[in-house]
Every structure is written in C-alpha cells, then in structure tokens.
Amino acid sequence: MHAVVVGELNADLILSGLAAIPNYGELQLAQGMRLTLGSSSAIFACNLARLGISVGFVGKVGNDMVGSFLVERLESSGVDTSRIVRAEGAQTGICVILSFPQDYAMASYPGVRESFCLSDVDFDYVQSAKHMHMSSFYLQPGLRPGAAELFRKAKAAGLTTSLDPDHDPSGKWDGGLRELLPSVDVFLPNEQEALKISGAKDVDGALDSLSRLAASVVIKRGAAGIVTRSQGRTWAVPGFRIDPLDTTGAGDSFNAGFISRFLNRDSLPQCVVWGNACGAMSTLILGGTEGFPTRRRVEEFFDERAEELGKMLGAFQPA
C-alpha cells in the first residue's frame, strides 16, 4: 500500500436546494437528496484511490445495513477494507447535511465510531504502508487517547503522516492534539480550526504557533485558497474560481489531491495546486466523492485553467 487511513466511518444524507436553514417548527422542501459515503476519513480514502494511489482503511462500523453500504462503497472505489471492524449489535453513524452553494449545516449521529480505539488498529497492517493519514481527530473519542502513540509508532516505522483535525463539537479544542503534532508531517486544518486550536487571533499567528509543532502546516481557506508554512517559509496561494453546487467534502478532496503528490515526492507548489484543483472540482456535484476527478481529468483542468494555474505557481516565486 502507498497509504493507510485510520479513521471514522459514517454515511451522509445530503439535502440540497433549500432556501435557508429551517427555523424551529418550520418545514422546508429540499430540491435534491443523496445518501452517500460520508466521514472525512472515508472521503479522503476514496478520492486518494481515484487518483491511482493504493489505499487501505482501518476503522469500525456496525454489522448493519449502513455499515455494509459504507464498506461496499469503499471497496468499489478500490480501497482495501480488510481491516474494518464489523461490530455486532452496534449502529453505524449517519450525518444529515443541509447543503448550500457556499456553506453547509450538519447534524450527526456518531454511532459505533465513538468506540473505535487503538486496540482496534492492526499496526502490522498500518506499517505495511508508506504513509498514514487520519481525519476527524475530535470526532473519535475512543481513538483520541491513543492517537499520539499511533503517530509516534508510525513515524518510528518510517511512515510519513498527515492529519486533518476537523471540528470539535465540544468547543474545547484540546484532547491531546498538541502532543500528537510533532509526529505529523503535514497538518491540514481549515482556517477556523487553525485559529481555535492555536488560540491565535489571525492566520499568521496560527501559522506561528502550529508550525512550531508540525513539520508543514497547510491552512485551507475555501474559495480564498490556502496559506502554508514549511521549512520556515510562508506562502499564500489563491484558489481556482469555481461556481460550487455542494461544498461537502471539499477540504477532504483538497487533502487527497495534496497527499497524492506528496507521496510522489513532488514539490510543495505541485502538492498545493493539485489540492486546489481537486477541492474545487469536487464541489460541482452533490456529495464528497461523486464529483471527484481522475488524475487525467485534473491534468485537463490545468490545461483549461492555465492562467489561474500560473498565478498559483507564481505565488511561490520570490518577490
């Protein structure tokens, strides 16, 4: 395997075409609906596989209809599911997403993912890969106490690592993340997460704080692109102009594009532009995986957007 993903699994029920988020006691009719593969970790795994990277998944689902649906979707995307635990008598989680062109609102039932812990992880399987990724650190209370140990062991075994923290529903933004970050090669928060985790007032302050811990920090800013710091240098890179239909999984799609080139030992600019392209293109169709491009389609997208691509690469040139 090139990469192994250790993380959460749930389904997404996406409702689109709403005029606004309904008020209490109010019914609104959606114009679109889709039940699809959810969870940041699973979206990342599927999208990474679509770019031609061999991927395995370590996680936990209930032995129920939703769990079977998720495992089948991963397998159909080319992801190895042999280390996904099927828990008897447990329910697999589901997330209801109200999707709008520029944003979304979510309500999630976590289910069995909260019991997923370090003892469920086959580390011999993990260390057979070259790279380990984890998403949704804050959404996995069972795994969180052992996450720092898992990352340390992965680094000791010679793997490179990446982490997307995702949102903390408790609002505490703690839970041992700082102890884990020294074992992370690429840290991939969005802007809100970076500010909350670092306690900084602005992105520059967040970069100052987080880059003292993780080797490279990439802060995703949606349509505004990214800011990144690596080896003491900082770059702000614009995103591609796009008219989005659904932003679900756009950050995970950026991660997949970025890590696919990181595994190829490409330069930081190449990693960023692939992340930007994959994140942008994923928003054109409902769901976190349905609109994700193949490697060939990304290359065609670069040809179509040569001027924007040039501006992105130019952001890395010395002033």
Side-chain angles (χ1 to χ4, degrees), residues 88-105:
E88 292 290 343
Q91 287 184 298
T92 306
I94 191 165
C95 183
V96 178
I97 301 171
L98 306 183
S99 177
F100 303 92
Q102 300 294 341
D103 215 335
Y104 57 85

Side-chain angles (χ1 to χ4, degrees), residues 19-202:
I21 296 176
N23 296 316
Y24 288 116
E26 178 186 10
L27 171 66
Q28 288 196 23
L29 298 181
Q31 302 300 310
M33 182 277 289
R34 177 167 290 177
L35 179 66
T36 186
L37 180 78
S39 74
S40 291
S41 296
I43 291 171
F44 171 84
C46 281
N47 292 347
L48 193 61
R50 189 163 176 79
L51 292 173
I53 306 297
S54 56
V55 185
F57 201 99
V58 181
K60 193 173 189 177
V61 295
N63 194 16
D64 56 7
M65 179 184 68
V66 178
S68 296
F69 168 74
L70 296 176
V71 171
E72 289 167 5
R73 283 296 309 273
L74 285 166
E75 289 176 346
S76 68
S77 298
V79 177
D80 178 32
T81 63
S82 62
R83 298 307 190 276
I84 293 178
V85 177
R86 301 294 299 268
E88 292 290 343
Q91 287 184 298
T92 306
I94 191 165
C95 183
V96 178
I97 301 171
L98 306 183
S99 177
F100 303 92
Q102 300 294 341
D103 215 335
Y104 57 85
M106 298 187 292
S108 180
Y109 169 70
V112 73
R113 79 175 184 216
E114 291 200 324
S115 69
F116 179 51
C117 61
L118 188 61
S119 63
D120 292 316
V121 178
D122 181 345
F123 190 74
D124 288 337
Y125 179 77
V126 170
Q127 68 179 356
S128 70
K130 297 178 181 179
H131 182 88
M132 184 183 76
H133 177 84
M134 180 186 292
S135 293
S136 302
F137 173 82
Y138 291 110
L139 299 181
Q140 301 182 83
L143 184 60
R144 203 160 58 220
E149 178 184 349
L150 176 62
F151 271 78
R152 284 194 297 268
K153 289 176 67 175
K155 291 297 294 178
L159 281 71
T160 53
T161 60
S162 53
L163 172 69
D164 185 326
D166 215 319
H167 184 72
D168 182 4
S170 75
K172 296 178 180 178
W173 300 96
D174 192 1
L177 183 67
R178 285 181 169 272
E179 289 76 12
L180 184 158
L181 285 178
S183 300
V184 173
D185 290 298
V186 185
F187 186 44
L188 295 154
N190 66 28
E191 184 172 0
Q192 181 188 46
E193 293 157 1
L195 294 175
K196 293 289 188 180
I197 292 165
S198 65
K201 295 181 180 179
D202 54 34

